[in-house]
Amino acid sequence: MFSGAQERSTALTGYVALAAVGALAAVGAWDGPPGTRAWWWLAYGVFVLAFVVDDVAGTGAPGSRPRWASTRALLAVDVAAALVAWWLAPQVEWTAILFVVTVVPAALSLPPVATAVLIAVQSAAVVAGAARVGGAGDEVVAVAALYGALQVFAAIVVVAGRRQAEQRAALAAAHAQVRAASALLAASSRDAERLRISRELHDVVGHGLTALALELEVAAHRAQGPELEHVERARGIAKDLLGDVRSVVGDLRGEVRGLESALREVVGRAPGLQVVLTVREEVPVGPESALVVVRAAQELLTNTLRHAGAHRATLDVVADAGGVRLRAHDDGRGSRRLRPGNGLTGLAERVEDAGGSVRFSTAPGEGFTAELQVPA
C-alpha cells in the first residue's frame, strides 16, 4: 500500500528508465544481429504499452480496473516482452534495464517468494544471453551480477516503501483510536457530571422549592388582608423558580452527546481516506453501547485503510427506540469471497456480547459494507 505521491514517484522512475533505454536504442550504434532491430523495437513498444496501461489503470477509482488490465496480467506481458527483447539482441546490454523495471510492479503485487523467483529467472536470462553471444566468463558474471543487484535493490526499495506506508497507516489508525477513546471518556465524564448536577438540582433544590410552594399554599389559605398579597406573590415566585429548575434539569439531561463527538474523532484521523459521517440520535445512547459503536467504527476504518484500497468511506449512525444502527461502506476493490480476519471477528464478537447483530458483505468492484445494531 503506497501513498499517491509514492506511487507517482515510482511510476516516474520507471518512465525515466524506459526513456533512457529508448533513447540509447535510437541514437546509439546497433550491436544486435542484422534484421532484429525492428523486432526489438516491437518488443520494446509492447513493454512500454503494458507499463503505461498498468499505470493509467492504477490511477482510476478502486474497482474500475478491467480484468484484462490487471497488474499481474500486464506484468506477465512486460516480463515476456523484456525476455524477447533481450534474447533478440543480448549484445545491446542496456536492454537488461527492462528487467529492473519489471521488478517494481512485481514487488508491489506478488508475494516475496514470487518476486525472488522472477529475479532469479531474469538473472538467468541475462547469463544465458551474455553467454550466447560468446561473452567471456568474467564479463558474463559481471553483467549478471550488475543487473541482478539492481533488481534486488529495486525490490528492496519497493518493499521497504510499502512497509513504511503500511506502518504509517497503522500508526495513524492507532492514534485515531486513542483520540477517539479519549474523546469518548471525556464525553462520558462530562455526561456523568451533567447527570449528577441534574440529579442534585432535582433532588435538593427541586424538592426544597416544592416544599416551599406547599407551605406558601397553606399560608395563603390562612392569611388575610395585606399579608395575603405578599404570600400569593411569594408562592408565584416559588413556582417560577421550580419551573426554572425543572427546565435546567431537562436541558442537562438532554446534552448527553458523547457518541457523535467520539465518532468524529475517529473519522478525523483517517489518513488518505475521505470519510462522510452522519449521526442521528433520537434517543440517548448509553456509554456501553456507545463504546461498542465507536470501537466498531475504528475497526472498520482501520480495515479499509489497510486492505480495501479505497478513496471514500461513509458511516451512517442512527439511534432510536429500536437501538443503535451503524452502516459502514467503502468504495474499495472488494473481493469475491469474504474472509474475516481477527479484527472483523473481534468486532462481531464484541457486538454479539452487547446483545446486537452484525452483517458483512462485499463483491469485486463494489467495496465492503458492514451493518450492525446494538441496544441503545
Side-chain angles (χ1 to χ4, degrees), residues 306-320:
R306 290 179 176 172
H307 307 297
H311 295 157
R312 188 174 187 271
T314 58
L315 293 176
D316 297 316
V317 180
V318 177
D320 54 24

Side-chain angles (χ1 to χ4, degrees), residues 56-74:
V56 173
T59 58
S64 63
R65 180 192 286 265
R67 183 176 300 178
W68 61 267
S70 68
T71 296
R72 294 189 178 186
L74 294 171

Side-chain angles (χ1 to χ4, degrees), residues 49-330:
L49 179 61
F51 186 88
V52 172
V53 169
D54 182 47
D55 180 42
V56 173
T59 58
S64 63
R65 180 192 286 265
R67 183 176 300 178
W68 61 267
S70 68
T71 296
R72 294 189 178 186
L74 294 171
L75 174 61
V77 173
D78 274 341
V79 171
L83 290 172
V84 169
W86 172 253
W87 193 253
L88 285 172
Q91 299 93 335
V92 187
E93 292 182 357
W94 31 261
T95 301
I97 294 175
L98 299 179
F99 294 142
V100 181
V101 177
T102 61
V103 170
V104 175
L108 286 172
S109 60
L110 299 179
V113 174
T115 303
V117 170
L118 176 62
I119 292 174
V121 169
Q122 294 186 149
S123 298
V126 172
V127 172
R132 173 171 166 258
V133 295
D138 56 345
E139 293 179 354
V140 172
V141 172
V143 171
L146 172 62
Y147 287 105
L150 289 174
Q151 292 178 77
V152 172
F153 177 74
I156 291 175
V157 169
V158 171
V159 171
R162 182 171 61 183
R163 288 180 179 175
Q164 288 178 357
E166 291 173 351
Q167 290 170 356
R168 283 195 297 271
L171 181 61
H175 184 55
Q177 291 176 358
V178 172
R179 289 177 60 88
S182 299
L184 185 60
L185 179 61
S188 298
S189 299
R190 290 194 299 269
D191 293 343
E193 183 64 13
R194 290 191 187 102
L195 290 175
R196 186 190 67 79
I197 294 173
S198 68
R199 284 194 296 267
E200 291 294 326
L201 287 174
H202 180 271
D203 296 341
V204 179
V205 181
H207 288 175
L209 288 174
T210 300
L212 176 61
L214 291 175
E215 291 293 335
L216 291 173
E217 181 76 23
V218 173
H221 289 293
R222 296 182 178 181
Q224 295 179 357
E227 293 83 0
L228 179 60
E229 179 181 352
H230 292 289
V231 171
E232 290 287 351
R233 188 180 302 130
R235 187 177 65 173
I237 294 173
K239 287 184 177 180
D240 291 341
L241 287 174
L242 183 58
D244 291 340
V245 168
R246 288 173 176 170
S247 177
V248 170
V249 169
D251 291 341
L252 287 172
R253 289 184 176 274
E255 288 181 358
V256 180
R257 303 262 181 211
L259 176 60
E260 181 173 0
S261 62
L263 287 172
R264 296 207 176 277
E265 287 287 346
V266 171
V267 304
R269 294 289 179 175
L273 185 66
Q274 178 188 0
V275 184
V276 179
L277 171 67
T278 57
V279 180
R280 190 169 77 249
E281 291 185 69
E282 298 178 0
V283 299
V285 180
E288 295 83 3
S289 297
L291 183 61
V292 171
V293 174
V294 170
R295 289 288 185 265
Q298 290 172 348
E299 177 56 39
L300 292 170
L301 287 180
T302 300
N303 189 69
T304 298
L305 286 168
R306 290 179 176 172
H307 307 297
H311 295 157
R312 188 174 187 271
T314 58
L315 293 176
D316 297 316
V317 180
V318 177
D320 54 24
V324 186
R325 295 185 299 278
L326 166 65
R327 184 181 187 276
H329 175 74
D330 64 56

Side-chain angles (χ1 to χ4, degrees), residues 8-31:
R8 296 313 308 154
S9 177
T10 302
L12 181 60
T13 302
Y15 282 122
V16 171
L18 292 178
V21 173
L24 288 171
V27 302
W30 180 254
D31 297 329

Side-chain angles (χ1 to χ4, degrees), residues 327-343:
R327 184 181 187 276
H329 175 74
D330 64 56
D331 63 354
R333 64 179 65 91
S335 62
R336 294 183 180 277
R337 185 177 179 182
L338 179 63
R339 298 181 179 88
N342 293 331

